Amino acid sequence: MNCEPTKTPDDIDIPALRERYRRERDKRLRPEGSEQYVQAADGFAEYAEADPHSPPVVRGPITAEIEVAIVGGGFSGLMAGARLKQNGITNFRIIESGGDFGGVWYWNRYPGIQCDNESYTYIPLLEELNYIPKAKFSDGSEIHGHCQRIGRYFGLYEAALFGTGVRSLRWDESIKRWRVGTNRGDDIRARFIIMCVGSTNRPKLPGIPGIKSFKGRSFHSARWEYEYTGGDQNNPVLDKLADKRVAVIGTGASAIQIVPYVGRYAKHLTVFQRTPSSVDRRGNMPTDPEWVKTLKPGWQKERQRNFHGWSFEAFPPGLAAQDAICDFWTEINRNLAAKLEAMGNPQLPPEKFFEMKEEEDYRVMERLRRRVDSIVMDKTTAESLKAYFRFACKRPCSNDDFLETFNRPNVTLIDVSEQQGVERITEKGIVAGGVEYEVDCIIYASGFEVTTRMDRRLGIQPYVGRNDLSLYAYWADGLKTFHGMTAHGFPNHFYTGFTQAGVGGNITAMYDQQVTHIAWIIKEALARGAVVVEPSKEAQDDWIRTIHETAVDMTEFLLECTPTYWNNEGGGKGSDADRKKKLRFIFGEPYGPGFYAFDDLIRAWRDKGDMAGLVLGK
Ligand code: NDP
């Protein structure tokens, strides 16, 4: 398929837009930054810990001595289990708080849930398991089904400890093992631990006074209560909402998918929006069987690389490398590549190139704002729904029903940007702009602990390595790792996610890269008779230096962005110098040369075989 550049408006006033972006950002910066959010713990634990999808697991505490404990049973934990098995390691458990595998795809079952990244790149191990998704954008149930398929294929169900949340992690030097404590009183002594906790694992609540006083029904988007709304994930007919006034708080990627369904079924829906998302056309399509016939071995990795290049790399691949993805994620680079081609692909100085890229960003965002005008009939509502920030400041969305929902007579948008959010929750409803909106149900589509404090995100206390060193304290002023996956002072400890590793456009490919590496290290350490493996301080210092020397400085971009969890709420309100100190980038401190350069680097490290930088102890 030939993927053409899109037509974006050229009648735009960039200096005026830049100013507008700043104004919109400034009015949303809050002094408390990410501390504004309420943890779904203690008095609010029911918003995270209640499991509406499975009967409670009833079992007594277990005592076990195992080779590896994998913490988390989402895609990263599943792939860790698969890669361990492929390396001949079978004595492991996957400890998962949900009642099944799936992670975010287990917990998030709200109506309309789909993956926003195309399924052919996002859903991992398609070739290994010989599975082709049904459509470009998969439904959540299909993705969850694939998690179960991975579990069955690799025999991981036998290793699972479901309904079990890890609550403490302590390195025990006397037995050279990790003591893994859980909410079930288990005593698990694991030689190695692999942390596969994901990045959107823990729901958070908005910092709104009075949440507890509300007398109606309320739940978080990641714990959808179909028994209250009617319907189920595969048949989201929310018929029990027919006589209900429902509020949705938030307009992030989850809400964009939820709002059309609640709007269709509720007596009245009020959406409280602090910052709009950019919402493009979805254009989902069933998988073309003729295309499937053309796929050659290695196609998924090739496609993931194509997606990464067109959506994530600063410089677009040349036009010769066709944009196989051809959707909203790849538009800016695609348009840019066409413009560069028309100019004869000159060697531009970086400032000139980034100026062109910024201009295309303004044009694409303007196209999306005009899209709002072309769909939403009420002018004030349309104005509120327009996103004034750069494309990559907040997670871009696509949906064919979200904007349309605001044309329904039973749906109201309340713009709370001037008040920096909803003011208060009362017994009867929600107060915003001094007005009380009475509702029967509040749905918190308020996101997850992503760039908030690490101890909040994990809910594991204590989390300590050698000499009672807390990982939270150790990483509080910056990550300290070797290759992003191990840390000095934390023997036999492997971390996955956004640390100091390679970051790509496709999170599941990143997890596979990391767990493949980790499984190799564990196999080699055991084969060499080691019981302890840990990076030397020198190797770690070298890696941190490499990370800093190769870093692509995102500070100015993140400072300009509207506050979201992507930039740790913009570092809060304050001087630029203060904000800079508190900015945290969702992607951690990635290896500057990029995801595939990192892949080359760790492959070469493995091929060399001397495990340089790691100290093996007997
Ligand atoms: P987000 O964090 O993106 O959105 C939370 C929403 O709550 C925001 O609109 C936020 O406003 C709003 N909010 C927070 N506090 C207040 C307040 N006090 N008053 C009013 N509004 C408030 O969470 P989501 O669950 O939507 O998405 C999280 C991530 O999960 C996505 O970015 C994505 O990575 C993933 N996801 C992926 C999907 C997929 O397709 N693969 C689908 C859905 C989610 P503000 O923006 O102003 O902070």
Side-chain angles (χ1 to χ4, degrees):
M1 180 182 64
N2 246 354
C3 182
E4 297 298 328
T6 58
K7 179 140 182 43
T8 54
D10 48 16
D11 55 334
I12 54 171
D13 179 347
I14 291 182
L17 280 172
R18 189 174 286 126
E19 198 37 49
R20 174 81 192 261
Y21 285 18
R22 283 200 184 131
R23 275 207 315 278
E24 295 289 337
R25 175 205 62 189
D26 287 348
K27 78 178 180 195
R28 291 178 173 87
L29 287 170
R30 286 176 50 147
E32 330 87 295
S34 63
E35 293 294 326
Q36 68 182 276
Y37 294 102
V38 172
Q39 287 188 61
D42 305 322
F44 298 93
E46 79 261 23
Y47 288 99
E49 277 159 27
D51 183 347
H53 310 312
S54 300
V57 174
V58 183
R59 68 163 177 85
I62 59 164
T63 301
E65 194 150 286
I66 56 175
E67 208 72 275
V68 188
I70 298 171
V71 181
F75 272 136
S76 52
L78 284 161
M79 288 191 283
R83 300 309 182 209
L84 283 179
K85 282 219 159 170
Q86 288 171 328
N87 280 283
I89 298 157
T90 52
N91 180 10
F92 63 85
R93 306 298 303 248
I94 303 178
I95 306 172
E96 164 56 50
S97 53
D100 193 357
F101 289 128
V104 292
W105 300 106
Y106 171 82
W107 290 109
N108 288 270
R109 301 193 188 191
Y110 56 75
I113 183 167
Q114 284 190 341
C115 184
D116 287 332
N117 284 87
E118 70 147 39
S119 56
Y120 317 120
T121 60
Y122 173 77
I123 301 182
L125 310 184
L126 290 179
E127 286 189 74
E128 276 171 270
L129 273 67
N130 195 22
Y131 182 76
I132 298 288
K134 297 190 184 83
K136 177 174 167 79
F137 298 107
S138 286
D139 288 341
S141 56
E142 185 181 24
I143 306 173
H144 182 219
H146 192 72
C147 294
Q148 295 170 317
R149 185 175 298 114
I150 296 173
R152 287 192 302 270
Y153 183 87
F154 289 101
L156 301 177
Y157 275 94
E158 298 89 87
L161 269 183
F162 291 130
T164 306
V166 170
R167 291 289 181 267
S168 62
L169 290 169
R170 183 187 288 280
W171 172 253
D172 186 339
E173 186 68 28
S174 67
I175 55 171
K176 299 212 169 4
R177 284 174 180 270
W178 283 89
R179 308 290 292 247
V180 182
T182 72
N183 58 347
R184 310 214 155 254
D186 304 320
D187 178 16
I188 299 170
R189 278 160 264 162
R191 179 74 67 205
F192 300 94
I193 55 170
I194 309 180
M195 298 299 288
C196 293
V197 291
S199 63
T200 47
N201 60 319
R202 230 184 141 68
K204 66 176 162 48
L205 294 169
I208 305 173
I211 289 180
K212 281 299 229 184
S213 59
F214 182 58
K215 294 263 190 284
R217 190 74 164 237
S218 65
F219 53 87
H220 190 275
S221 58
R223 301 288 183 275
W224 194 269
E225 295 186 6
Y226 281 105
E227 145 267 327
Y228 176 79
T229 63
D232 59 47
Q233 189 184 355
N234 294 317
N235 183 29
V237 176
L238 312 180
D239 49 359
K240 292 190 189 168
L241 295 184
D243 59 351
K244 302 284 189 303
R245 299 158 303 173
V246 181
V248 170
I249 296 184
T251 46
S254 301
I256 299 301
Q257 297 182 335
I258 290 168
V259 159
Y261 285 85
V262 180
R264 193 172 306 151
Y265 292 106
K267 180 175 170 205
H268 196 91
L269 165 63
T270 312
V271 179
F272 292 86
Q273 173 188 271
R274 191 166 64 179
T275 313
S277 287
S278 65
V279 185
D280 207 348
R281 172 180 171 271
R282 184 75 154 181
N284 199 5
M285 282 173 294
T287 301
D288 176 0
E290 294 308 312
W291 169 73
V292 176
K293 285 184 200 154
T294 67
L295 298 175
K296 308 245 166 21
W299 70 266
Q300 191 181 24
K301 285 213 170 350
E302 196 184 305
R303 197 170 175 92
Q304 285 172 338
R305 198 167 186 138
N306 186 287
F307 175 69
H308 175 81
W310 286 101
S311 69
F312 206 79
E313 290 283 10
F315 297 91
L319 282 191
Q322 282 264 329
D323 173 3
I325 312 303
C326 202
D327 64 19
F328 66 113
W329 291 103
T330 59
E331 179 182 12
I332 292 180
N333 263 352
R334 185 182 341 132
N335 292 358
L336 212 49
K339 284 184 179 152
L340 291 168
E341 182 91 354
M343 292 160 65
N345 285 321
Q347 274 298 328
L348 295 176
E351 322 78 74
K352 179 70 200 147
F353 169 79
F354 284 110
E355 199 182 296
M356 274 181 75
K357 184 149 186 167
E358 189 179 0
E359 183 183 329
E360 195 52 37
D361 193 310
Y362 279 109
R363 286 167 177 252
V364 167
M365 291 304 285
E366 186 61 23
R367 177 180 75 68
L368 293 168
R369 287 188 285 271
R370 293 184 191 183
R371 182 171 183 272
V372 178
D373 277 331
S374 72
I375 295 171
V376 178
M377 287 173 328
D378 178 74
K379 292 290 159 239
T380 312
T381 306
E383 212 42 55
S384 290
L385 286 164
K386 292 178 188 171
Y388 285 95
F389 44 77
R390 295 225 10 212
F391 183 77
C393 281
K394 189 173 157 101
R395 193 172 191 282
C397 300
S398 70
N399 192 290
D400 293 337
D401 300 306
F402 174 76
L403 293 171
E404 290 75 357
T405 300
F406 293 94
N407 292 334
R408 300 181 68 99
N410 66 326
V411 177
T412 315
L413 181 77
I414 304 296
D415 182 337
V416 292
S417 57
E418 294 295 343
Q419 301 86 39
Q420 299 189 323
V422 165
E423 280 163 44
R424 207 154 30 92
I425 294 193
T426 64
E427 281 187 16
K428 293 188 191 154
I430 294 177
V431 179
V435 178
E436 183 176 36
Y437 298 86
E438 291 191 11
V439 293
D440 301 298
C441 172
I442 302 175
I443 299 169
Y444 293 105
S446 48
F448 301 87
E449 306 269 356
V450 183
T451 42
T452 51
R453 277 193 345 256
M454 192 179 175
D455 57 327
R456 288 181 55 145
R457 272 182 271 150
L458 268 54
I460 296 173
Q461 205 60 267
Y463 187 165
V464 291
R466 188 174 278 132
N467 302 323
D468 269 351
L469 176 62
S470 156
L471 188 70
Y472 304 135
Y474 192 51
W475 282 358
D477 59 350
L479 293 162
K480 297 176 194 69
T481 76
F482 177 59
H483 291 167
M485 291 171 256
T486 56
H488 181 70
F490 295 81
N492 295 359
H493 169 268
F494 298 94
Y495 206 88
T496 64
F498 298 125
T499 47
Q500 291 175 325
V503 172
N506 185 9
I507 193 168
T508 56
M510 177 188 83
Y511 285 135
D512 197 18
Q513 180 188 65
Q514 295 179 352
V515 296
T516 298
H517 190 66
I518 291 166
W520 184 90
I521 293 175
I522 294 177
K523 177 199 75 177
E524 282 299 311
L526 292 173
R528 295 172 199 207
V531 291
V532 176
V533 53
E534 178 188 354
S536 70
K537 175 81 171 47
E538 296 69 38
Q540 179 171 287
D541 287 346
D542 275 353
W543 183 249
I544 296 170
R545 206 170 307 116
T546 302
I547 286 291
H548 292 166
E549 282 169 6
T550 63
V552 178
D553 189 1
M554 299 288 291
T555 313
E556 291 308 317
F557 177 81
L558 295 173
L559 272 182
E560 290 288 314
C561 277
T562 188
T564 68
Y565 73 88
W566 279 38
N567 61 0
N568 197 29
E569 302 301 328
K573 206 178 180 74
S575 67
D576 279 5
D578 277 348
R579 292 180 54 222
K580 268 183 199 170
K581 283 190 217 138
K582 293 192 202 133
L583 281 180
R584 241 192 327 268
F585 185 30
I586 180 183
F587 295 139
E589 300 170 20
Y591 178 59
F595 179 76
Y596 287 98
F598 182 70
D599 204 50
D600 292 342
L601 183 142
I602 55 174
R603 273 174 198 273
W605 183 90
R606 291 200 296 266
D607 289 346
K608 207 157 159 241
D610 60 1
M611 301 181 84
L614 293 181
V615 180
L616 304 190
K618 308 250 162 147

Coordinates of all heavy atoms in Angstrom, one line a residue, residues 556-610:
E556 N 14.0 21.2 27.3 CA 13.2 22.4 26.8 C 11.9 22.0 26.2 O 10.9 22.7 26.5 CB 14.1 23.1 25.7 CG 15.3 23.8 26.3 CD 15.0 24.7 27.5 OE1 14.0 25.5 27.4 OE2 15.8 24.7 28.4
F557 N 11.9 20.9 25.5 CA 10.6 20.4 25.0 C 9.6 20.1 26.1 O 8.4 20.5 26.1 CB 10.8 19.1 24.1 CG 9.6 18.5 23.6 CD1 9.0 19.0 22.4 CD2 9.0 17.4 24.2 CE1 7.8 18.4 21.9 CE2 7.8 16.8 23.7 CZ 7.2 17.4 22.6
L558 N 10.1 19.4 27.1 CA 9.2 19.0 28.2 C 8.7 20.2 29.0 O 7.6 20.2 29.5 CB 9.9 18.0 29.2 CG 10.2 16.6 28.5 CD1 11.1 15.8 29.5 CD2 9.0 15.9 28.1
L559 N 9.6 21.2 29.1 CA 9.2 22.4 29.9 C 8.0 23.1 29.2 O 7.1 23.7 29.8 CB 10.4 23.4 30.0 CG 11.3 23.3 31.1 CD1 12.4 24.4 31.0 CD2 10.7 23.4 32.5
E560 N 8.1 23.1 27.8 CA 7.1 23.8 27.0 C 5.8 23.1 27.0 O 4.7 23.7 26.8 CB 7.6 24.0 25.6 CG 8.7 24.9 25.4 CD 8.3 26.4 25.6 OE1 7.3 26.8 25.0 OE2 9.0 27.1 26.3
C561 N 5.8 21.8 27.3 CA 4.6 21.0 27.2 C 3.6 21.3 28.3 O 3.9 21.7 29.4 CB 4.9 19.5 27.3 SG 5.5 18.8 25.7
T562 N 2.3 21.0 27.9 CA 1.3 21.0 28.9 C 1.6 20.0 30.0 O 2.2 19.0 29.7 CB -0.1 20.8 28.2 OG1 -1.1 21.0 29.1 CG2 -0.2 19.4 27.6
P563 N 1.2 20.2 31.2 CA 1.5 19.2 32.2 C 0.7 17.9 32.1 O -0.5 17.9 31.9 CB 1.1 19.9 33.6 CG 0.2 21.0 33.2 CD 0.5 21.4 31.8
T564 N 1.4 16.8 32.1 CA 0.7 15.5 32.1 C 1.7 14.5 32.8 O 2.8 14.9 33.2 CB 0.6 14.9 30.7 OG1 1.9 14.6 30.1 CG2 -0.2 15.8 29.7
Y565 N 1.3 13.3 32.9 CA 2.2 12.3 33.5 C 3.4 12.1 32.6 O 4.4 11.6 33.1 CB 1.5 11.0 33.8 CG 1.1 10.2 32.6 CD1 2.0 9.2 32.1 CD2 -0.1 10.3 31.9 CE1 1.8 8.5 31.0 CE2 -0.4 9.5 30.8 CZ 0.5 8.6 30.4 OH 0.3 7.9 29.3
W566 N 3.4 12.5 31.3 CA 4.5 12.3 30.5 C 5.7 13.1 30.9 O 6.8 12.7 30.7 CB 4.2 12.7 29.0 CG 3.5 11.6 28.3 CD1 2.5 10.8 28.8 CD2 3.6 11.2 26.9 NE1 2.1 9.9 27.8 CE2 2.7 10.2 26.6 CE3 4.4 11.7 25.9 CZ2 2.6 9.6 25.4 CZ3 4.3 11.1 24.6 CH2 3.4 10.0 24.4
N567 N 5.4 14.3 31.5 CA 6.6 15.1 32.0 C 6.5 15.3 33.5 O 6.9 16.4 34.0 CB 6.6 16.4 31.2 CG 5.3 17.2 31.4 OD1 4.4 16.9 32.1 ND2 5.3 18.4 30.7
N568 N 5.9 14.4 34.2 CA 5.7 14.5 35.7 C 5.0 15.9 36.0 O 5.5 16.6 36.8 CB 7.1 14.4 36.4 CG 6.9 14.2 37.9 OD1 5.9 13.6 38.3 ND2 7.8 14.7 38.7
E569 N 3.9 16.1 35.3 CA 3.1 17.2 35.6 C 3.9 18.5 35.4 O 3.6 19.5 36.1 CB 2.4 17.2 36.9 CG 1.5 16.0 37.2 CD 0.4 15.8 36.2 OE1 -0.1 16.8 35.7 OE2 0.0 14.6 35.9
G570 N 4.8 18.5 34.4 CA 5.5 19.7 34.0 C 6.4 20.2 35.1 O 7.0 21.3 35.1
G571 N 6.7 19.3 36.1 CA 7.5 19.7 37.2 C 6.8 20.7 38.2 O 7.5 21.3 39.0
G572 N 5.5 20.8 38.0 CA 4.8 21.7 38.9 C 4.9 23.2 38.5 O 5.5 23.5 37.5
K573 N 4.4 24.0 39.4 CA 4.4 25.5 39.1 C 5.7 26.1 39.7 O 6.1 25.6 40.8 CB 3.2 26.1 39.7 CG 2.8 27.4 39.0 CD 1.5 28.0 39.6 CE 1.1 29.2 39.0 NZ 0.5 29.0 37.7
G574 N 6.4 27.0 39.1 CA 7.5 27.6 39.6 C 8.4 28.1 38.6 O 8.0 28.2 37.4
S575 N 9.6 28.5 39.0 CA 10.6 29.1 38.0 C 11.0 27.9 37.1 O 10.9 26.7 37.4 CB 11.8 29.6 38.7 OG 12.5 28.6 39.3
D576 N 11.5 28.2 35.9 CA 11.9 27.2 35.0 C 13.0 26.3 35.6 O 13.0 25.1 35.5 CB 12.5 27.8 33.7 CG 11.4 28.2 32.7 OD1 10.2 28.0 33.1 OD2 11.7 28.6 31.6
A577 N 13.9 27.0 36.4 CA 15.0 26.2 37.1 C 14.4 25.2 38.1 O 14.8 24.1 38.1 CB 15.9 27.2 37.8
D578 N 13.3 25.6 38.8 CA 12.7 24.7 39.8 C 12.0 23.6 39.0 O 12.0 22.4 39.4 CB 11.6 25.5 40.6 CG 12.3 26.2 41.8 OD1 13.5 25.9 42.0 OD2 11.6 27.0 42.4
R579 N 11.3 24.0 38.0 CA 10.5 23.0 37.2 C 11.5 22.0 36.6 O 11.2 20.8 36.6 CB 9.7 23.7 36.1 CG 8.5 24.5 36.7 CD 7.7 25.1 35.6 NE 7.3 24.1 34.7 CZ 7.3 24.3 33.3 NH1 7.7 25.4 32.8 NH2 6.8 23.3 32.6
K580 N 12.6 22.4 36.1 CA 13.6 21.5 35.5 C 14.0 20.4 36.5 O 14.2 19.3 36.1 CB 14.8 22.3 35.1 CG 14.8 22.8 33.7 CD 16.1 23.5 33.3 CE 15.8 24.4 32.1 NZ 16.9 25.3 31.7
K581 N 14.2 20.8 37.7 CA 14.6 19.8 38.7 C 13.6 18.7 38.9 O 13.9 17.6 39.2 CB 14.9 20.5 40.1 CG 16.2 21.3 40.1 CD 16.5 21.7 41.5 CE 17.1 23.1 41.5 NZ 16.6 24.1 42.5
K582 N 12.3 19.1 38.7 CA 11.3 18.1 39.0 C 10.7 17.4 37.8 O 9.9 16.5 37.9 CB 10.1 18.8 39.8 CG 10.5 19.3 41.1 CD 9.3 19.8 41.9 CE 9.8 20.7 43.0 NZ 8.9 21.9 43.1
L583 N 11.1 17.9 36.6 CA 10.6 17.2 35.4 C 11.1 15.8 35.4 O 12.2 15.5 35.8 CB 11.3 17.9 34.2 CG 10.7 19.2 33.6 CD1 11.5 19.6 32.4 CD2 9.2 19.1 33.2
R584 N 10.2 14.9 35.1 CA 10.7 13.5 34.9 C 10.0 13.1 33.6 O 8.9 13.3 33.4 CB 10.2 12.6 36.1 CG 11.3 12.0 36.8 CD 10.9 10.9 37.8 NE 9.7 11.0 38.5 CZ 9.5 11.6 39.6 NH1 10.5 12.1 40.3 NH2 8.3 11.6 40.2
F585 N 10.9 12.4 32.8 CA 10.4 12.0 31.4 C 9.8 10.6 31.6 O 10.5 9.8 32.2 CB 11.6 12.1 30.5 CG 11.2 11.8 29.0 CD1 10.0 12.2 28.5 CD2 12.2 11.3 28.2 CE1 9.7 11.9 27.2 CE2 11.9 11.1 26.9 CZ 10.7 11.4 26.4
I586 N 8.7 10.4 31.0 CA 8.1 9.1 31.1 C 9.0 8.0 30.7 O 9.0 6.9 31.2 CB 6.7 9.0 30.3 CG1 6.1 7.6 30.4 CG2 6.9 9.5 28.9 CD1 4.9 7.4 29.6
F587 N 9.9 8.3 29.7 CA 10.8 7.2 29.2 C 12.1 7.1 29.9 O 13.0 6.4 29.5 CB 11.1 7.5 27.7 CG 9.8 7.4 26.8 CD1 9.6 8.3 25.8 CD2 8.9 6.4 27.0 CE1 8.5 8.2 25.0 CE2 7.7 6.3 26.3 CZ 7.5 7.2 25.2
G588 N 12.1 7.6 31.1 CA 13.3 7.5 32.0 C 14.5 8.2 31.4 O 14.3 9.4 31.0
E589 N 15.6 7.6 31.4 CA 16.8 8.2 30.9 C 17.4 7.3 29.7 O 18.3 6.6 29.9 CB 17.9 8.4 32.0 CG 17.4 9.2 33.1 CD 18.4 9.2 34.3 OE1 19.6 8.8 34.1 OE2 18.0 9.5 35.4
P590 N 16.7 7.4 28.6 CA 17.0 6.4 27.6 C 18.4 6.5 27.0 O 19.0 7.6 27.0 CB 15.9 6.6 26.5 CG 15.3 7.9 26.8 CD 15.6 8.3 28.2
Y591 N 18.9 5.5 26.4 CA 20.1 5.4 25.7 C 20.0 6.3 24.4 O 19.2 5.9 23.5 CB 20.5 4.0 25.3 CG 21.8 3.8 24.6 CD1 23.0 4.2 25.1 CD2 21.7 3.1 23.3 CE1 24.2 4.0 24.4 CE2 22.9 2.9 22.6 CZ 24.1 3.3 23.1 OH 25.3 3.1 22.4
G592 N 20.7 7.4 24.3 CA 20.5 8.4 23.3 C 20.5 7.8 21.8 O 19.7 8.2 21.0
P593 N 21.5 7.0 21.5 CA 21.5 6.5 20.1 C 20.3 5.7 19.7 O 20.1 5.5 18.5 CB 22.8 5.7 20.1 CG 23.7 6.2 21.2 CD 22.7 6.6 22.2
G594 N 19.5 5.3 20.6 CA 18.2 4.7 20.2 C 18.0 3.3 20.5 O 19.0 2.6 21.0
F595 N 16.8 2.8 20.3 CA 16.4 1.5 20.6 C 17.2 0.4 19.9 O 17.7 -0.5 20.5 CB 14.9 1.4 20.3 CG 14.3 0.0 20.6 CD1 14.1 -0.3 21.9 CD2 14.1 -0.9 19.6 CE1 13.5 -1.6 22.2 CE2 13.6 -2.2 19.9 CZ 13.3 -2.5 21.2
Y596 N 17.4 0.6 18.6 CA 18.1 -0.4 17.8 C 19.6 -0.4 18.1 O 20.2 -1.4 18.0 CB 17.7 -0.4 16.4 CG 16.2 -0.9 16.2 CD1 15.1 0.0 16.1 CD2 16.0 -2.3 16.2 CE1 13.8 -0.5 16.1 CE2 14.7 -2.7 16.2 CZ 13.6 -1.9 16.1 OH 12.3 -2.3 16.0
A597 N 20.1 0.8 18.3 CA 21.5 0.9 18.7 C 21.8 0.2 20.0 O 22.8 -0.5 20.2 CB 22.0 2.3 18.8
F598 N 20.8 0.3 20.9 CA 20.9 -0.4 22.2 C 20.8 -1.9 22.0 O 21.6 -2.7 22.6 CB 19.8 0.1 23.1 CG 19.9 -0.5 24.5 CD1 20.9 -0.2 25.4 CD2 18.9 -1.5 24.9 CE1 21.0 -0.8 26.7 CE2 19.0 -2.1 26.2 CZ 20.0 -1.7 27.0
D599 N 20.0 -2.3 21.1 CA 19.8 -3.7 20.8 C 21.2 -4.3 20.3 O 21.7 -5.3 20.7 CB 18.8 -3.9 19.7 CG 18.2 -5.3 19.8 OD1 17.8 -5.7 20.9 OD2 18.1 -6.0 18.7
D600 N 21.8 -3.5 19.4 CA 23.1 -4.0 18.8 C 24.1 -4.1 20.0 O 24.9 -5.0 20.0 CB 23.6 -2.9 17.8 CG 22.8 -3.0 16.5 OD1 22.1 -3.9 16.3 OD2 22.9 -2.0 15.7
L601 N 24.1 -3.0 20.9 CA 25.1 -3.0 21.9 C 24.9 -4.2 22.9 O 25.9 -4.9 23.2 CB 24.8 -1.7 22.7 CG 25.8 -1.4 23.8 CD1 26.1 0.1 23.8 CD2 25.3 -1.8 25.2
I602 N 23.7 -4.5 23.3 CA 23.6 -5.6 24.2 C 23.8 -7.0 23.6 O 24.2 -8.0 24.2 CB 22.3 -5.6 25.1 CG1 21.0 -5.5 24.2 CG2 22.3 -4.5 26.1 CD1 19.7 -5.6 25.0
R603 N 23.4 -7.1 22.3 CA 23.7 -8.3 21.5 C 25.2 -8.6 21.4 O 25.7 -9.7 21.7 CB 23.1 -8.2 20.1 CG 21.7 -8.7 20.0 CD 21.2 -8.4 18.6 NE 19.8 -8.4 18.5 CZ 19.0 -9.5 18.4 NH1 19.6 -10.6 18.2 NH2 17.7 -9.4 18.4
A604 N 25.9 -7.5 21.1 CA 27.4 -7.6 21.0 C 28.0 -8.0 22.3 O 28.9 -8.8 22.4 CB 28.0 -6.3 20.5
W605 N 27.4 -7.4 23.4 CA 27.9 -7.7 24.8 C 27.7 -9.2 25.1 O 28.6 -9.9 25.6 CB 27.1 -6.9 25.8 CG 27.5 -7.0 27.2 CD1 28.4 -6.3 27.9 CD2 26.9 -7.9 28.2 NE1 28.5 -6.7 29.2 CE2 27.6 -7.7 29.4 CE3 25.9 -8.9 28.1 CZ2 27.3 -8.4 30.5 CZ3 25.6 -9.6 29.2 CH2 26.3 -9.4 30.4
R606 N 26.5 -9.7 24.7 CA 26.2 -11.2 24.9 C 27.2 -12.0 24.1 O 27.7 -13.0 24.5 CB 24.8 -11.5 24.6 CG 23.8 -10.9 25.5 CD 22.4 -11.6 25.4 NE 21.7 -11.5 24.2 CZ 20.8 -10.6 23.9 NH1 20.5 -9.7 24.7 NH2 20.2 -10.7 22.7
D607 N 27.3 -11.6 22.8 CA 28.2 -12.4 21.9 C 29.6 -12.5 22.4 O 30.2 -13.6 22.2 CB 28.2 -11.8 20.5 CG 26.8 -12.0 19.8 OD1 26.0 -12.8 20.3 OD2 26.5 -11.3 18.8
K608 N 30.1 -11.5 23.0 CA 31.4 -11.5 23.5 C 31.6 -12.6 24.6 O 32.6 -13.2 24.7 CB 31.8 -10.1 24.0 CG 33.2 -9.8 24.0 CD 33.5 -8.3 23.9 CE 34.9 -8.0 24.4 NZ 35.0 -7.2 25.6
G609 N 30.6 -12.7 25.4 CA 30.5 -13.8 26.3 C 31.2 -13.7 27.6 O 31.2 -14.5 28.5
D610 N 32.0 -12.5 27.8 CA 32.7 -12.4 29.1 C 31.9 -11.8 30.2 O 32.4 -11.6 31.3 CB 34.1 -11.7 28.8 CG 33.8 -10.3 28.3 OD1 32.6 -9.9 28.2 OD2 34.8 -9.6 28.0

